[in-house]
Amino acid sequence: ENLGFKDGLFSNDTDHQIEVVKMIRKYQPEIIIANAPADRHPDHGRAAELIKTAAFLAGLKKMETKLNGEPQAAYRPRLILHYIQFQNLQPDVIVNITAHIDTKLEAVKAYSSQFYNPGSKEPATVISTKNFLDSIVYRAQDMGRLIGTEYGEGFLTSQNIGTDDLMNLYSVR
């Protein structure tokens, strides 16, 4: 769902937080994947902070919200992961995306006015170059190399990650 926040002009304030809280409570995700906490576009870091704040607030019983006139129950996701965007940030965890690299590229290319499109009539930008589109692939290849797979996606975390089973963790052997 698009909450209609204005590009470049939204804030991590009460009005925006409440709208995100409503969505978290509506969908009750176990994991939220959010923008990088620091990036080239100022919205990305602001969105990361907004989501982090709203995810905490969504778990507070005294934070009352209604959706379509119905009260919503408190709910807090288990984990927030921040995907790495323009900047080269050191990931806290890397996920094998080898089976999904084509889907990822299709999703990026769906934004044909922003990313490389040889037939575009839009003004050229840093992210509309072929080099930037290629960088999505070679970053995924490099992340994959680090964990011994063909492609990987790096994420940062806002909180500590725990496990009940050390055998489900692995690294390159």
Side-chain angles (χ1 to χ4, degrees):
E1 287 187 47
N2 186 326
L3 299 179
F5 297 167
K6 292 184 179 181
D7 187 26
L9 300 174
F10 70 87
S11 300
N12 184 7
D13 60 14
T14 302
D15 291 339
H16 290 92
Q17 291 165 3
I18 289 171
E19 292 307 308
V20 177
V21 166
K22 288 179 185 179
M23 293 300 106
I24 291 169
R25 289 177 171 178
K26 176 181 179 179
Y27 291 107
Q28 299 187 353
E30 289 189 49
I31 298 172
I32 293 178
I33 298 177
N35 296 82
D39 201 53
R40 178 178 167 269
H41 194 306
D43 274 358
H44 298 173
R46 216 172 17 252
E49 279 302 311
L50 172 58
I51 290 166
K52 182 179 172 184
T53 302
F56 180 83
L57 295 174
L60 300 177
K61 291 179 183 177
K62 291 185 179 186
M63 166 66 79
E64 296 178 9
T65 58
K66 290 183 178 182
L67 189 64
N68 300 322
E70 297 292 321
Q72 293 182 295
Y75 176 84
R76 184 169 294 138
R78 291 177 32 202
L79 180 65
I80 298 172
L81 294 175
H82 300 275
Y83 53 90
I84 298 170
Q85 294 176 271
F86 192 84
Q87 304 298 339
N88 288 323
L89 303 174
Q90 181 66 35
D92 296 316
V93 62
I94 301 172
V95 176
N96 177 3
I97 64 163
T98 302
H100 309 287
I101 188 67
D102 291 336
T103 304
K104 176 181 176 155
L105 290 172
E106 285 176 31
V108 169
K109 290 176 184 178
Y111 292 89
S112 59
S113 67
Q114 291 187 25
F115 297 107
Y116 179 69
N117 176 356
S120 175
K121 304 293 184 221
E122 299 288 328
T125 67
V126 172
I127 65 171
S128 71
T129 65
K130 184 174 184 320
N131 182 46
F132 182 79
L133 189 61
D134 291 345
S135 77
I136 293 169
V137 175
Y138 61 72
R139 176 181 280 166
Q141 288 172 322
D142 193 45
M143 291 289 163
R145 174 188 63 82
L146 294 173
I147 60 168
T149 65
E150 192 171 352
Y151 297 99
E153 186 78 32
F155 295 95
L156 301 132
T157 61
S158 296
Q159 68 264 43
N160 294 322
I161 296 178
T163 185
D164 291 329
D165 182 359
L166 286 175
M167 298 311 291
N168 284 331
L169 298 175
Y170 74 94
S171 67
V172 178
R173 294 179 189 193

